[in-house]
Amino acid sequence: MKNLDTYQDFYFVGIGGIGMSALARYFHASGKKVLGYDKTETKLTSALMSEGIDIVFEDKIDERITGLDKETTLVIYTPAIKVLGILDYFSQNGFTVLKRAKVLGLITENTECIAVAGTHGKTTTSTLVAHLCLVADLPFSCFLGGISENFKSNFLYNGNQYSVLEADEYDRSFLNLSPDWAIITSNDADHLDIYGDVATIERGFNEFAALVPDKDQLFVRKGIDIGRPGKTYAVNEAADYYSDNLRAEDGIMHFDFHNGSQTVPFEWHIPGIHNVENATAAIAMLNTVGVDFETLQKGIKSFKGIKRRYTVNNFDSGKVYIDDYAHHPTELNAVIGSIRTFYPDKKLLVVFQPHLFSRTRDFAEGFAQSLENSDELLLLDIYPARELQENYPGISSDWLLEKVNHHKKEVSSLGEAFNKIKEKDFDILLTVGAGNIDTVYDPIVEWLESV
């Protein structure tokens, strides 16, 4: 196919997705004309429009589409889009149409690619790697699956020698990449609608690991078998790289990093043992790349995290509001476990929005056990994303709620959730999920600031 540089116009079908928007920002920053479609208007699409990207929210063929030249236009789509008239138009009229993963793969072919994969932890770890690259002033661009609190975006251009990106396992997208360096944080069961079973998803991660040419540039959480040699990392147990002596002092997490010959102290502001594990992987990789420990200490200390990844708000009333993107039982356990560790005697209200009918069905027992660790549960309707309720008869939040062994629980629509929350008695409020539950974030913060 043509070199990406030969295209002048880039049309994104599903531009509001977190991964799609980073790619759109990349081409926009490169001086290309970028436009696109999405089903709903969100904070992210509003941000893209404010940056000068043209977005429509109706599936119709207008002059902005008919005016595009198929020879100089590349159409990029996400597999989450199943049926769309706009996509049909481009396909039927001879335009080059590629998946996002393929285009991202083409970019990585021409850079020294640092890819972070894993069913959990990849967003935090890849964003931290990007932040450390920025502090070290490496020439890099990043494509992230979350909004960095440090640079307020999921994309940053600081050069093009390195590309830092979140390697998405959904639809086997990460197999399109050309990673020179890689971190694998986890390979738990997820996306079973694509992979079918645990063994198949594990094979997918093994195939991804095989793409890394040098075993010394592959960093894998200890205990994960990826079918080839690599460097291991861990917390509180020996590995090629590991951290221990974890302690919290005045709200700051301290830990010691070991690389065999050296022990280096670090401190940072992100709670949770699992996050120290993510930091350990990032430190190990960047030090191997050539970044000195003094710079890494500065970078770790200044890292602010990612929006919707354990975002903590403290209020004068003493109440605490935490918002998180967790949408898998393992992630829920990590978030709720951290809250129970840091606030052991506080009354916890969990407001959870399940993401996808298939994931709710496949992990119902795990979700139920995780949610039982709350003091009160408000379970929102399932966010369908790319799925249709008619294809999953009987799978609903009412069905899931019956599995939760809890005496204070109820189901709510998203529209009713805010008013219900205001009636609850809690010390800690956790809103959690990967759908559109973030729309209640600002109203909750404004309310809690006033009480």
Side-chain angles (χ1 to χ4, degrees), residues 120 189-190 325-333 336 350 352-374 377 379 382 395-397 399-401 403-406 432-434:
H120 321 294
D190 199 2
Y325 192 73
H327 53 285
H328 185 282
T330 301
E331 297 164 346
L332 273 178
N333 287 335
I336 296 175
V350 173
F352 175 56
Q353 182 186 50
H355 185 265
L356 297 177
F357 298 109
S358 60
R359 183 181 284 120
T360 303
R361 176 199 63 198
D362 294 339
F363 302 105
E365 301 301 329
F367 281 127
Q369 292 175 13
S370 300
L371 296 170
E372 286 166 8
N373 292 316
S374 62
L377 171 64
L379 186 62
I382 296 171
I395 306 301
S396 68
S397 289
W399 171 81
L400 177 60
L401 193 73
K403 298 180 179 295
V404 182
N405 183 17
H406 211 309
V432 62

Side-chain angles (χ1 to χ4, degrees), residues 259-434:
N259 69 349
S261 61
Q262 291 177 281
T263 298
V264 184
F266 283 87
E267 58 180 80
W268 77 335
H269 299 269
I270 311 299
I273 294 174
H274 62 292
N275 281 320
V276 175
E277 192 173 72
N278 296 332
T280 301
I283 293 166
M285 171 178 281
L286 267 297
N287 184 242
T288 307
V289 169
V291 181
D292 63 85
F293 281 119
E294 184 177 354
T295 300
L296 292 173
Q297 286 172 316
K298 178 182 176 182
I300 291 292
K301 187 174 182 178
S302 61
F303 182 61
K304 297 178 181 178
I306 307 102
K307 287 186 183 295
R308 301 216 64 231
R309 265 56 171 196
Y310 209 88
T311 301
V312 181
N313 301 269
N314 294 282
F315 299 93
D316 293 340
S317 63
K319 292 185 183 297
V320 178
Y321 172 33
I322 299 170
D323 183 47
D324 196 89
Y325 192 73
H327 53 285
H328 185 282
T330 301
E331 297 164 346
L332 273 178
N333 287 335
V335 172
I336 296 175
S338 291
I339 292 172
R340 291 306 195 189
T341 298
F342 285 94
Y343 309 97
D345 302 317
K346 300 295 186 180
K347 188 180 296 184
L348 173 63
L349 168 63
V350 173
V351 183
F352 175 56
Q353 182 186 50
H355 185 265
L356 297 177
F357 298 109
S358 60
R359 183 181 284 120
T360 303
R361 176 199 63 198
D362 294 339
F363 302 105
E365 301 301 329
F367 281 127
Q369 292 175 13
S370 300
L371 296 170
E372 286 166 8
N373 292 316
S374 62
D375 293 300
E376 186 167 1
L377 171 64
L378 190 62
L379 186 62
L380 304 189
D381 293 333
I382 296 171
Y383 184 78
R386 56 187 176 269
E387 297 178 342
L388 299 174
Q389 171 74 82
E390 64 195 54
N391 295 328
Y392 300 89
I395 306 301
S396 68
S397 289
D398 290 300
W399 171 81
L400 177 60
L401 193 73
E402 291 181 2
K403 298 180 179 295
V404 182
N405 183 17
H406 211 309
H407 67 286
K408 297 187 74 174
K409 60 180 182 178
E410 65 177 299
V411 169
S412 171
S413 67
L414 178 62
E416 297 173 335
F418 179 50
N419 287 331
K420 287 182 179 291
I421 290 168
K422 291 195 291 185
E423 298 171 354
K424 304 294 184 182
D425 177 26
F426 62 87
D427 301 310
I428 314 292
L429 169 63
L430 170 65
T431 53
V432 62

Side-chain angles (χ1 to χ4, degrees), residues 24 45 51 125 163 170 179 214 219 240-241 255 272 284 300 381 401 426:
T45 58
E51 294 165 20
T125 308
S163 59
Y170 175 71
D214 188 338
F219 301 79
D240 294 321
Y241 306 93
F255 61 92
I300 291 292
D381 293 333
L401 193 73
F426 62 87

